[in-house]
Amino acid sequence: MIDAAEQTGRRRRAWWHAAWAVPAVSGPLFTLLRQDFADSGDWVWAVGMLAFAPTAALLLTLRPGNRVGRILATVAVAAGVVFTSDGIATTWDHVAASVYLEVVSTAAVVFTFWGMLALLFLFPTGETRPGWPRWSFWVFTTGLVGFLPVLQLIRPGPTTLTGRVNPWAVDAAWVEPAIEVGLFSLLGGVVFGVAALVQRYRKSDGAERAQLKLLVLGAGFVVCLVSVIGIVPEEYDTGLVGVLMSLVVILGFWALPGAIVAAVLRYRLYDIDRIASRTVTYLVTVVLLGLGYAGSLVALQTLLPFEGALPVAASTLAMAWVSIPLVRFVQRFVDRRFFRSRYDAQEVVAAFSTVARANLDLEELTSQLTEVVHTTLEPGHVTVWIPPDGE
């Protein structure tokens, strides 16, 4: 039974989640409902940033008061303010208040960067490590949130989207240099944040190290996808290819908050090495198959005396034929190079299976089984119970 105090706490948390989730979700939805969203390309960013609101709500519901969840909620609300303000400024530019909202959106962008920076220092425990990570966190994050939004509000010159005059502009020579210093401090904060994350990883073990691995996997997935999209020529950014590229970007957006929530909730946490191994394997395999397809297609079109669908079909069939052996080869290579402990464990278990099939001596099998368990699982103690005859 749930007592009255617990029910009251749940209702308060529900109202609190609704209070911040409404602006967080309404901004991207407003962008998606605009008539020109398909032409502007803002729908990709809107759908991508929608990931932060439900993941933050899930994390704060299951872990009330969790600081990582609060950071995700801050990013979601800031993104909602940005999308709403920019949408009103570009759609209803004749409204007098729209120029004020456009200026507010530039200040709200700072909070999205602040959230990403704070995660580097606070993930996964919500606390900074003592020493230089702690003071650098307060110096960079407090300075970023304390000064940059105000500087963006009073920045002189035309606004970014509509080119109108900032009504809150302060005609002072020190504003622009101060903004440049603030942006430079943001870069310095990222450097210190990554260093703090590396230090935390080196001094952690067990569950915390697995959580950090999952965060790095999610961030690396985003970086890989964005890098792949960035090298695609602009002439291919149309039609079906353009839609697929947009879906890839959205997948990258959702990967990072999803990895953060899974790490904090410790969902299948100790499968991270297997997940990372499979992710790297399939990424490498896709790249190799793409290069092989392009190379074989060019070679066949050059060597064959005729053109048409035959070179394309032959290249496709060749890549389909080598795909499964290629996945197995890449999987073994990745495990041997980057996930050595898992590869060694697989080798030990395979060797024991071979010996067990050819050996019927119970004492020797028990000794080898104990050795396999020590090698693969590294337990503190191993006990083998053999039932007496007749049981």
Side-chain angles (χ1 to χ4, degrees):
M1 296 294 293
I2 301 176
D3 55 12
E6 179 64 22
Q7 290 180 349
T8 303
R10 289 187 176 183
R11 284 196 294 267
R12 289 178 178 176
R13 289 195 295 269
W15 281 108
W16 165 244
H17 294 333
W20 66 260
V22 168
V25 175
S26 61
L29 290 179
F30 177 75
T31 300
L32 293 176
L33 293 175
R34 285 166 48 193
Q35 294 181 356
D36 60 340
F37 77 94
D39 297 330
S40 64
D42 292 340
W43 69 276
V44 177
W45 304 100
V47 176
M49 295 305 293
L50 272 175
F52 287 88
T55 51
L58 175 63
L59 187 54
L60 290 175
T61 300
L62 300 178
R63 299 288 189 274
N66 184 272
R67 292 187 178 181
V68 176
R70 291 176 177 177
I71 292 173
L72 293 179
T74 302
V75 174
V77 172
V81 172
V82 171
F83 282 112
T84 303
S85 303
D86 289 348
I88 294 176
T90 55
T91 306
W92 303 331
D93 54 357
H94 60 282
V95 179
S98 64
V99 65
Y100 294 94
L101 292 176
E102 184 179 358
V103 178
V104 168
S105 71
T106 61
V109 170
V110 178
F111 288 90
T112 62
F113 288 105
W114 173 88
M116 301 302 178
L117 180 60
L119 283 174
L120 296 176
F121 289 96
L122 299 178
F123 187 85
T125 61
E127 299 286 343
T128 57
R129 293 190 62 86
W132 64 265
R134 182 164 297 171
W135 65 256
S136 60
F137 167 75
W138 288 111
V139 167
F140 288 109
T141 58
T142 303
L144 181 67
V145 177
F147 297 101
L148 262 184
V150 177
L151 293 174
Q152 291 290 349
L153 290 176
I154 64 175
R155 187 173 190 171
T159 57
T160 304
L161 291 177
T162 61
R164 292 176 291 183
V165 178
N166 181 7
W168 290 324
V170 174
D171 190 10
W174 56 268
V175 177
E176 286 292 343
I179 293 178
E180 293 179 1
V181 172
L183 296 176
F184 183 77
S185 67
L186 173 61
L187 179 61
V190 172
V191 173
F192 274 85
V194 172
L197 195 66
V198 172
Q199 186 201 59
R200 186 187 291 268
Y201 179 82
R202 293 180 60 184
K203 295 186 177 182
S204 64
D205 54 9
E208 186 173 344
R209 174 165 288 196
Q211 289 174 309
L212 293 171
K213 285 182 180 180
L214 193 54
L215 173 67
V216 173
L217 178 63
F221 191 68
V222 175
V223 172
C224 290
L225 291 181
V226 173
S227 301
V228 170
I229 296 301
I231 62 177
V232 175
E234 295 183 359
E235 57 266 23
Y236 294 105
D237 192 12
T238 57
L240 179 60
V241 176
V243 174
L244 293 177
M245 290 170 56
S246 300
L247 294 178
V248 168
V249 174
I250 292 172
L251 179 62
F253 269 106
W254 281 77
L256 182 58
I260 292 172
V261 172
V264 175
L265 298 180
R266 301 187 179 185
Y267 176 73
R268 300 181 66 90
L269 187 60
Y270 293 100
D271 286 343
I272 178 60
D273 286 341
R274 179 181 294 272
I275 295 172
S277 170
R278 295 296 174 85
T279 303
V280 173
T281 297
Y282 288 120
L283 285 176
V284 173
T285 302
V286 168
V287 172
L288 292 178
L289 288 175
L291 293 176
Y293 175 79
S296 61
L297 182 60
V298 172
L300 290 175
Q301 289 178 342
T302 303
L303 297 175
L304 294 178
F306 51 86
E307 298 180 357
L310 182 59
V312 176
S315 300
T316 304
L317 291 175
M319 293 303 103
W321 182 66
V322 303
S323 59
I324 295 179
L326 183 61
V327 168
R328 294 173 181 173
F329 172 78
V330 174
Q331 183 74 69
R332 289 195 298 268
F333 177 82
V334 169
D335 289 340
R336 188 167 56 249
R337 293 288 183 178
F338 303 103
F339 302 94
R340 187 70 196 185
S341 59
R342 176 172 176 266
Y343 177 78
D344 291 340
Q346 289 178 337
E347 293 293 321
V348 170
V349 172
F352 174 74
S353 300
T354 303
V355 174
R357 285 194 295 266
N359 194 346
L360 299 179
D361 186 79
L362 187 58
E363 293 184 0
E364 185 176 351
L365 283 177
T366 302
S367 176
Q368 292 179 355
L369 176 61
T370 304
E371 183 180 354
V372 168
V373 172
H374 273 297
T375 303
T376 56
L377 302 179
E378 300 181 359
H381 179 71
V382 176
T383 300
V384 180
W385 179 76
I386 302 175
D389 294 340
E391 292 190 9

